[in-house]
Amino acid sequence: VVSLAVGVVSLLFVLDAWLPIRKKLQQVPASKPWGTFWGGIAGFTSFISHTGGPPYQIYTVPLGLAPAIFAGTSAFFFATVNYAKIIPFYFLGQLSISNLETAAALIPVALIGMWAGVIFVRRANVQLFYQVVYLLIFVLSLDLIIEGAHGIWTGAEA
């Protein structure tokens, strides 16, 4: 249910950015209460279903940060969120040797992805960067909708 909800909200976010459905407020400053709300939702959905990215991006993408600042802030936020999940995951039985071995085995893939991301962030202009971000949120939202709907109708866990 959480995956489906995050997927639908994320899809609406992207469609709202792409389609001129409503009048957009220009140059609205960042809001601490709004950031706290979306940060809390991102932390919650990250804990429940590992889908914290879209709620986080709903707040940060419209800020139009420089790509390096956006990427660095995202990395710091999710490093903090993931660190905070270690103890609860341990007590829930989700932190096992096999999970840690899988994570360790994926380190080379993560490093390659990080390296590619650094190259993209350094070379892409702001407009291209955010076009790619919106496209990736769109693809992720469709995947979450399909995964969530499949889980609801089949009773299967994601």
Side-chain angles (χ1 to χ4, degrees):
V1 172
V2 172
S3 294
L4 179 62
V6 170
V8 169
V9 170
S10 301
L11 180 63
L12 293 173
F13 167 71
V14 172
L15 292 177
D16 182 58
W18 285 348
L19 303 173
I21 296 172
R22 66 183 178 101
K23 183 178 179 182
K24 308 271 190 300
L25 300 175
Q26 300 298 322
Q27 303 300 324
V28 176
S31 159
K32 286 184 181 180
W34 205 232
T36 301
F37 171 78
W38 284 111
I41 296 295
F44 174 75
T45 56
S46 179
F47 182 79
I48 297 297
S49 61
H50 303 293
T51 57
Y56 170 83
Q57 292 163 344
I58 287 171
Y59 177 73
T60 56
V61 169
L63 297 176
L65 302 171
I69 300 295
F70 178 84
T73 304
S74 300
F76 182 79
F77 178 82
F78 284 105
T80 303
V81 167
N82 289 333
Y83 181 73
K85 295 188 304 188
I86 290 174
I87 293 172
F89 273 27
Y90 173 78
F91 285 111
L92 289 170
Q94 298 297 310
L95 193 61
S96 66
I97 296 299
S98 66
N99 282 350
L100 295 175
E101 287 171 343
T102 301
L106 291 173
I107 288 174
V109 176
L111 291 174
I112 292 168
M114 186 176 65
W115 176 74
V118 167
I119 290 172
F120 176 69
V121 166
R122 286 183 178 167
R123 293 184 184 194
N125 66 38
V126 174
Q127 185 177 4
L128 174 62
F129 177 81
Y130 281 103
Q131 287 174 346
V132 170
V133 168
Y134 276 111
L135 178 63
L136 291 174
I137 296 170
F138 176 75
V139 171
L140 176 60
S141 69
L142 295 179
D143 181 62
L144 290 171
I145 290 168
I146 292 166
E147 179 182 308
H150 180 265
I152 288 171
W153 281 294
T154 63
E157 280 192 34

